[in-house]
Amino acid sequence: MTRAAIIGGGVIGGGWAARFLLNGWDVSIFDPDPDAERKLSEVLKNARASLPALYDKALPDEGKIHLCSSLEEAVTGADWVQESVSERLELKHKVYAQITPFLAEGVFIASSTSGFKASDLTAQGAPVAVVHPFNPVYLLPFVEISGAAELASKAVKIITDLGMAPLVLHKEIDAFIANRFQEAVWREALWMLKDGIATTGEIDDAIRMSFGLRWAQMGLFETYRIAGGEAGMQSYIEQFGPSLAWPWSKLTDVPELDADLISQIAQQSDEQAAGRSIRDLERLRDDNLVAIMRGLRRNSSGAAKPVLDHEAQLPSGGYHDGLPITLRRAVPVTWTDYNGHMNEAAYLEVGTWATDGLMKYIGADADYVASGKSFFTVDTRIRYLDEVHRGATVMVTTQVVKGEGKKMHLLHRMFKQDGTEYSLVSTIETLLLHTDLTTRRSCAPEPHILEALTALAEAHSQRPAESIGTAVGQRP
């Protein structure tokens, strides 16, 4: 599958376009809004700066995008059709009636609806399944799927291939799963505002500084299970279950959204924004999400797992200028400093992961380390030759300068990519000793590791190794 049609290029449609485009799909969009192209370009700018930063491998080459003048043009020949028009059932049915005649065989309509059941959407005979994402679609992995089993199965495959985490509903229900939770919190928040208990800013602080962070990586039930201590979930329920009968919340009721309450919410929200534009807030949100989700990578927790599963499918390795490519990735915002460019520590981290890549190349992979042997760094020298900014794709090649006995002497060259051109931005010289992880003392590598390392050293022996052995401040 290579081409997606996006019907409606607003917040959700634009997010879908970015998700498909940055995963190598060509995208055709239909949106009658005369300002659609500008809005879409701004969403894509944010997506390009954030989604690749979740990965430690480069995403596929970006697809091509085309704004269409009609539904027919957008849908004809598409392998996937994502409908993201306004939440009006009559409008959706009208759009489906225009789309259906142009669908390729086996293609159905995936609806981004936030609340309509699949049976509502298919009531007039169109082939539709609910494929409901969360904003920003290009970053958040969760997708709720509902509808005919055959369509749901097809949707799960595509959504998973986009690096997302699909959940197929067991039963049809209005607003699905996650939105019903959001609505419950929203109702309670409205009562707190109405009753003068807290402001919009105070309510948001209560969420983002406490249970919001816990929910982001563990959800509800696992969080409560831990709260029960060593006795687990049963203990928690025995202790806190009775509180469900206490009058803590007003979830069975909701205040009327009259003019006064709407004005109060709008005013307090404006005060919260403190003059920051929507785009400023989006960039702040995206940077925060990248930082949080990258933080979750270490233990493959929460939203990091589909990223890691997707990353494992992305290609790696290869050669550049006759040397093995040991790392290729985008520079995330978490690697940048107050000047907006990659900081010194990040260059060292690049060298660390490139060394790890070379170790895997010679067979000293995770299984080898688990067996009790590895290489430990004893000396490193970095030359900083050019600035690298967030979002740039960097590639590292590794030359084995020496591979004999216990020693592994490497020269990493880091390049930044500009289209098909590469420019050298750093060299990282590092010396490592093979070590027994049990005794914490140096030792000879296993024969197959030493053989592979020696072969690389011999193959690279005639290549120049600029800056090797020079002191700080000396020019090679």
Side-chain angles (χ1 to χ4, degrees):
M1 292 194 172
T2 59
R3 191 162 79 82
I6 309 298
I7 310 304
V11 172
I12 298 299
W16 273 120
R19 173 69 77 161
F20 278 101
L21 194 72
L22 296 181
N23 275 283
W25 286 57
D26 292 337
V27 175
S28 297
I29 298 181
F30 173 75
D31 191 320
D33 182 356
D35 215 16
E37 185 172 4
R38 178 189 63 79
K39 294 177 181 177
L40 180 62
S41 67
E42 291 175 352
V43 171
L44 289 176
K45 181 179 179 180
N46 285 341
R48 290 179 178 119
S50 55
L51 178 62
L54 291 178
Y55 295 85
D56 285 346
K57 292 181 183 177
L59 287 171
D61 291 339
E62 187 173 310
K64 297 177 181 178
I65 192 163
H66 178 59
L67 271 70
C68 301
S69 58
S70 69
L71 285 168
E72 177 182 354
E73 181 186 3
V75 172
T76 300
D79 302 298
W80 178 272
V81 177
Q82 188 74 37
E83 169 269 308
S84 302
V85 303
S86 299
E87 287 289 277
R88 303 200 310 274
L89 190 57
E90 68 279 6
L91 174 61
K92 290 182 182 292
H93 284 159
K94 180 180 178 181
V95 170
Y96 299 160
Q98 296 177 62
I99 288 176
T100 302
F102 305 106
L103 293 177
E105 183 177 354
V107 176
F108 62 97
I109 302 166
S111 177
S112 302
T113 179
S114 298
F116 292 124
K117 298 190 294 289
S119 57
D120 297 328
L121 302 174
T122 60
Q124 296 185 6
V128 187
V130 170
V131 182
H132 171 240
F134 287 80
N135 185 43
V137 182
Y138 52 80
L139 279 185
L140 295 187
F142 189 60
V143 179
E144 295 171 306
I145 296 176
S146 178
E150 180 185 359
L151 303 188
S153 178
K154 291 181 179 179
V156 165
K157 174 64 169 63
I158 297 301
I159 293 304
T160 302
D161 285 348
L162 293 173
M164 304 177 84
L167 175 66
V168 179
L169 272 63
H170 298 291
K171 294 182 178 181
E172 277 203 330
I173 184 173
D174 290 314
F176 324 126
I177 296 174
N179 271 352
R180 293 175 77 94
F181 289 134
Q182 289 190 120
E183 185 186 8
V185 176
W186 172 240
R187 287 172 182 259
E188 190 67 22
L190 291 176
W191 273 114
M192 289 184 177
L193 284 167
K194 180 76 171 181
D195 294 343
I197 295 170
T199 67
T200 58
E202 291 165 344
I203 291 169
D204 281 352
D205 279 346
I207 294 171
R208 63 188 169 205
M209 296 186 186
S210 60
F211 66 86
L213 289 173
R214 297 191 309 193
W215 285 4
Q217 52 85 39
M218 195 162 282
L220 184 65
F221 286 94
E222 279 194 328
T223 296
Y224 284 167
R225 180 181 181 87
I226 291 173
E230 292 183 358
M233 180 64 92
Q234 182 173 339
S235 173
Y236 176 83
I237 294 174
E238 289 173 352
Q239 292 183 64
F240 299 103
S243 68
L244 292 175
W246 300 349
W248 277 1
S249 72
K250 298 183 178 181
L251 296 183
T252 58
D253 197 2
V254 63
E256 179 184 355
L257 282 169
D258 56 25
D260 289 342
L261 184 54
I262 292 173
S263 176
Q264 180 185 1
I265 295 170
Q267 178 183 343
Q268 293 182 3
S269 182
D270 287 345
E271 292 170 357
Q272 262 189 277
R276 291 173 294 184
S277 71
I278 291 296
R279 299 304 172 205
D280 290 337
L281 294 173
E282 285 180 345
R283 282 188 289 273
L284 177 62
R285 175 203 63 192
D286 292 352
D287 286 352
N288 288 340
L289 281 171
V290 168
I292 290 170
M293 293 169 74
R294 287 201 61 81
L296 295 173
R297 287 177 56 97
R298 181 178 178 87
N299 295 311
S300 189
S301 297
K305 188 176 186 307
V307 173
L308 291 169
D309 289 345
H310 189 213
E311 180 177 296
Q313 301 170 20
L314 296 173
S316 59
Y319 290 83
H320 176 75
D321 192 27
L323 293 172
I325 297 172
T326 49
L327 185 72
R328 187 169 180 268
R329 54 160 307 148
V331 175
V333 64
T334 51
W335 279 10
T336 59
D337 58 19
Y338 48 84
N339 291 316
H341 55 61
M342 193 168 153
N343 61 40
E344 290 90 341
Y347 283 78
L348 181 59
E349 187 168 350
V350 165
T352 299
W353 293 119
T355 296
D356 191 61
L358 192 281
M359 287 172 58
K360 292 176 182 177
Y361 188 90
I362 63 174
D365 54 15
D367 290 338
Y368 187 76
V369 173
S371 74
K373 304 287 179 62
S374 187
F375 286 90
F376 280 14
T377 304
V378 294
D379 199 2
T380 298
R381 191 220 165 168
I382 304 173
R383 291 193 308 146
Y384 305 96
L385 306 176
D386 199 1
E387 295 181 355
V388 182
H389 294 266
R390 63 174 291 185
T393 296
V394 294
M395 177 187 71
V396 180
T397 63
T398 300
Q399 178 179 348
V400 179
V401 179
K402 180 180 292 186
E404 59 186 32
K406 306 172 185 179
K407 295 182 179 180
M408 181 168 70
H409 189 182
L410 306 177
L411 178 61
H412 303 302
R413 295 176 177 87
M414 181 168 70
F415 303 83
K416 63 180 176 181
Q417 182 177 350
D418 183 8
T420 59
E421 300 296 319
Y422 295 87
S423 59
L424 185 67
V425 295
S426 177
T427 62
I428 306 168
E429 178 186 1
T430 184
L431 177 66
L432 302 99
L433 289 180
H434 190 267
T435 303
D436 185 314
L437 299 179
T438 303
T439 64
R440 316 303 283 185
R441 294 181 179 278
S442 61
C443 66
E446 292 295 323
H448 68 285
I449 301 297
L450 184 58
E451 180 180 355
L453 185 60
T454 302
L456 275 182
E458 291 176 354
H460 299 169
S461 62
Q462 300 305 310
R463 304 183 66 94
E466 67 274 17
S467 80
I468 285 291
T470 56
V472 172
Q474 283 187 314
R475 302 180 72 85

